[in-house]
Amino acid sequence: MLTWLNRVWLVFLVVVLAVGGWLGYADWQQIRHQYGTNLLAMAAAVADGTHLFLNDAHNSMLMLGNEVDREGVNHSITTRQALEKYLALEHNFAAIGVRSWQGSPVAVGADKGLLDALLSPSGRGVQPPLKINPEQHRLLDHCWRSPGFCMGPPVQTTSMHTREGAWMVPLFLQTQILDHGVPKPLRMVVLLPLQNGQLPFWAALPLPQHGSIFLLRNGGVLESRYPPPTKTSFSIRQNGIAAQSIFAHQGAQSDVYYGLATVVNQWRLGAWYRVAGYPLVAGAGLPRSVLVVAWWNRMTGPLAAMLTLLLLSVVGYLTVRRMARERIQEKAAAESLLWEAKERAEVTLHSIGDAVVTTDVSGRVTDINSVAESLMGYSRTEMLGKPLDTVFKIVREADHAPAANPVQRVLQEGKIIGLANHTILITAQGEERAIEDSAAPIRARDGTLLGVVLVFHDVTEKRQLTADLAYQATHDLLTGLPNRALFLDRLQQAVRAVTRQETLLLVGILDLDGFKQVNDRLGHDMGDILLREVARRTREALRTKDTIARLGGDEFGLVLPEIHHMEGAQHLANRLLQAIAEPMLLDGNSVTISGSLGFTVIPWDDGDQRSVLRHADMALYAAKNGGRNQYQFYEKTMDAQQEQLMEEITMTQEALEEQRLIMYYQPVVSTHDGLAPGQGVAPCQGVIGFEALIRMVHPQLGILAPAAFANALDHPRLARRIGCFVLDAVLTQGEQWHRDGLPLRMSMNISARHLLDPEFLNDMRAALAAHPDLAPEMCEIEVTESAPMLDFPTAQETLRACNNLGLRIALDDFGTGSASLSYLQKLPAQTIKVDQSFVRDILNDPRDFAIVAGVTTTANMLGLEVVAEGVETIGHLQLLKTLDCHAMQGYLFSKPMPADEVPGWVKSFN
Ligand code: C2E
Ligand code: MG
Ligand code: MG
């Protein structure tokens, strides 16, 4: 920029100077020409004047000669008079002299001596005061010898009358006059004084200021000059530039010369002109300084203009240069800012953790950072300039279909685009990377789109983690089945779908029968393996559209959509039960487990999700109650039952908490006349003991029997709590009676659920330990016949442990369940209580009689005590006696009574 400016300015300067120089030169040439012309005119005027003057002088001298001739030169006075008269007329002449052939010259005017000398016949006679040099002498000699008119060289006189050294130009005229008719020679000389070197008639000429005019002889001798020469002198042959010009142009009439006058060391311009009729050259000259002054005067205007121009240009140049400098500085500052910004951007680009790719408006890669390189698997050089699509290949996670290129969208829509979720980047090596990205337009200041910046990062791990978390959040980790949350979700979807479809949706709950016992017996690890195996089998048994989820513990949820008829539902349920019931090998043990299934069917069940599950649960409950290893479908009646159950449970729980549960006692008596065979404990005809029977004190209804809250007694939530209450209450009472001297056997009813509870033995031990005054042998636990069936091994084990503690064991309600006699053998029971339903009808129903008789006989054989329940009449008593059953319990003896009545009753009974 600056150099350019300098150049322009330099060129301008050169042009201005060149134009100025050319103008000056042209002007100079013009001035020279003009002055030359003037000088030539002047020289011509001088030459003309000289010619005229000499002609005049010649003529006047001729006339003077004639006069002298007429008057006669011998009459010298007369001649003198003529001369004086002549001189008076011709005031240009300083002196005049005549010499006739007779000898003595006549002279008038100044410098008579000089005249005398000049009038002498030849140079030989030249005397002082005439001082002449050889050149003067030659010329004078020429004039002396020449007839007629002749102009001599200037001579210097020393006369007293004239100024010392004044120069005179002698004009000669050699003529003849008649002396008495005979022509005689006559010489006439006129002296022309050089005043200030100029001939007299020059005074009329317009002499150039500072210039000179001169008259040279053809041979170069200086005749006259104004102003008078200082470096040379008159009558000396000149060899200056004027003379050289004249010599060089012998045939020319005139010429203009210009050159260095070496004598005066001065450049001069001059012109010469030949004087017509005389060997003379007139000239005029000027020193160059005059021309220079004139030129200068003419040039001041243009020069001033030029200088102004130059000055302006300098000012302009400096201003522009300063502005240019400022602009350069500004530009440099802006560039440095730009550089800094760019540097910042670049460093940022390469140091951020995200991959960044920028493109131009045609979608070609313009820049990328190292993260993008490593993520995409291409090198920078491979990518630069390539269309982005060729290196940034993305597909949708779900179906691997090509995903829309975000850069194209930004180019089309001109706004920031976030990438669709679940995008997969295919790297150069074909690897898949889950990415999240966004693309934004890059715009120029005026808003035009320059390109797009694409930012993305690898979320493979994050997405995997999210997927894992999502899986964990929705699946059971042990079995890999959906968990409760996902089950509910699927259920919701299925319920929604079923309203659109014309098929049935089965919602079920599967509960494994006796899983807890397996878990307790074989350990939790085996329990886990079993659950996994059950999960695998059930899944295999189901269709792909079916869902089986683990709801917790050994409980599974089922969503079975698109069932076309109930036969299909039953078939599916049977398949499930079969799959579960197949024996499986766990740690070398062959284990068989069963499942109970409760189903509800939508759309027949039009309840909401919660009630759907409740209904399935009720059906499951029914299946469990129905003997397990079966399925049940929900029926409307179940709802009422359930309601009642809930009521019972709430009521019982409240009673327990409010200590409104109390114990009644009913005696078990012996009617034997002697010792009963196989047993030495029971006294004959006396009280064997008391069975503790629970009662609830109801605020409104008074004392309630267990039938009013039987379900609560075996409910998971209450069974153990009530059991513990009974143990404590009964043992406390027994212990009290023992202390009071009433050693009675105390029988307690134990619910199946409490019996099979892992904590049962501990509860038992704790209760016994709390009542040390009551021997365990005086305690009996009554277990319903069906309880051990639920988990025979556990029941067997627990009962044995109870025996080991010293407790007696009675099998209650015997005959109602499916217990066989071989079953009796396997259980460590000491008493069998024949259910009152058989006893009641033995008088009328021979079948019942047969059953009671059979049981009694077998029990007696096994050495077990048989207690007949529900003995209400003497008839029953007598018939039972005949059957060899002597232990009895019933209203015949006493209804259950409060504890405080017991001692009195015992007394009166005895
Ligand atoms: P259970 O153990 O078989 O008890 C005998 C039931 O028969 C008693 O009914 C009793 O009052 C009744 N009973 C006795 N003699 C006669 C009679 O001559 N005629 C008639 N009709 N009934 C007679 P209760 O007290 O209502 O008890 C019913 C059942 O409730 C019991 O049957 C027992 O299984 C259960 N139970 C009673 N107390 C408890 C308890 O504390 N815990 C547990 N788990 N169950 C209990
Ligand atoms: Mg009982
Ligand atoms: Mg009973």
Side-chain angles (χ1 to χ4, degrees), residues 250-476:
Q250 288 292 347
Q253 179 65 28
S254 64
D255 197 19
V256 176
Y257 62 86
Y258 177 69
L260 180 68
T262 48
V263 183
V264 286
N265 193 28
Q266 196 181 53
W267 280 85
R268 293 186 72 86
L269 174 72
W272 53 265
Y273 203 95
R274 291 188 191 277
V275 180
Y278 301 93
L280 291 170
V281 178
L286 276 175
R288 190 179 57 179
S289 56
V290 175
L291 273 76
V292 169
V293 169
W295 174 79
W296 181 251
N297 287 339
R298 279 176 56 157
M299 283 303 291
T300 42
L303 248 166
M306 200 174 85
L307 280 174
T308 311
L309 201 65
L310 282 177
L311 205 71
L312 283 175
S313 77
V314 168
V315 171
Y317 165 74
L318 288 176
T319 310
V320 171
R321 200 175 67 164
R322 202 192 64 229
M323 280 163 57
R325 280 224 173 110
E326 280 172 7
R327 269 192 62 187
I328 285 168
Q329 278 166 2
E330 275 169 20
K331 201 176 148 197
E335 271 171 3
S336 117
L337 276 176
L338 200 69
W339 187 87
E340 276 173 31
K342 204 176 162 213
E343 184 69 9
R344 259 178 230 280
E346 225 150 79
V347 170
T348 310
L349 182 68
H350 289 284
S351 54
I352 56 175
D354 281 358
V356 181
V357 180
T358 57
T359 72
D360 57 17
V361 280
S362 63
R364 286 174 188 279
V365 176
T366 52
D367 202 0
I368 49 161
N369 70 355
S370 49
V371 182
E373 276 181 281
S374 61
L375 201 54
M376 296 163 80
Y378 290 100
S379 74
R380 188 181 166 76
T381 42
E382 279 175 313
M383 276 191 271
L384 286 178
K386 294 265 171 62
L388 186 67
D389 310 24
T390 60
V391 287
F392 184 71
K393 292 172 199 134
I394 48 173
V395 295
R396 292 198 301 240
E397 194 179 63
D399 52 6
H400 275 63
N405 183 342
V407 168
Q408 285 306 329
R409 281 189 59 199
V410 171
L411 289 173
Q412 278 158 18
E413 297 172 27
K415 61 180 187 193
I416 297 175
I417 298 288
L419 195 72
N421 277 338
H422 306 297
T423 307
I424 298 280
L425 170 72
I426 310 291
T427 69
Q429 291 73 33
E431 290 168 15
E432 294 189 359
R433 304 254 172 98
I435 57 163
E436 270 174 12
D437 71 356
S438 67
I442 307 171
R443 293 187 184 283
R445 203 185 273 193
D446 62 359
T448 48
L449 204 58
L450 298 177
V452 177
V453 59
L454 176 71
V455 181
F456 56 98
H457 57 266
D458 190 349
V459 291
T460 310
E461 279 177 23
K462 185 176 137 191
R463 214 168 272 173
Q464 186 57 49
L465 202 68
T466 314
D468 288 352
L469 283 175
Y471 182 82
Q472 283 172 24
T474 53
H475 285 79
D476 168 55

Side-chain angles (χ1 to χ4, degrees), residues 73-120:
V73 285
N74 292 324
H75 308 89
S76 53
I77 292 155
T78 316
T79 302
R80 182 170 300 273
Q81 284 168 345
L83 289 182
E84 280 171 353
K85 199 174 108 195
Y86 179 78
L87 206 55
L89 285 170
E90 294 285 350
H91 52 268
N92 283 332
F93 299 152
I96 186 160
V98 182
R99 185 185 179 98
S100 68
W101 72 96
Q102 287 162 319
S104 63
V106 179
V108 172
D111 269 319
K112 286 195 193 84
L114 180 62
L115 275 176
D116 283 347
L118 291 173
L119 289 168
S120 52

Side-chain angles (χ1 to χ4, degrees), residues 565-594:
H565 38 70
M566 281 311 285
E567 289 81 58
Q570 286 161 356
H571 179 69
L572 205 54
N574 278 323
R575 222 167 56 204
L576 273 172
L577 292 178
Q578 274 168 23
I580 296 165
E582 284 292 317
M584 56 182 89
L585 209 64
L586 294 185
D587 199 20
N589 298 319
S590 174
V591 176
T592 307
I593 199 161
S594 62

Side-chain angles (χ1 to χ4, degrees), residues 666 691 693-695 706 749 812-813 836 869-870 872 890-891 896:
Q666 188 183 32
E691 180 181 3
L693 294 163
I694 199 164
R695 295 291 181 269
N749 292 287
D812 207 349
D813 301 346
Q836 56 178 285
E869 289 182 323
E872 294 183 353
Y891 293 171

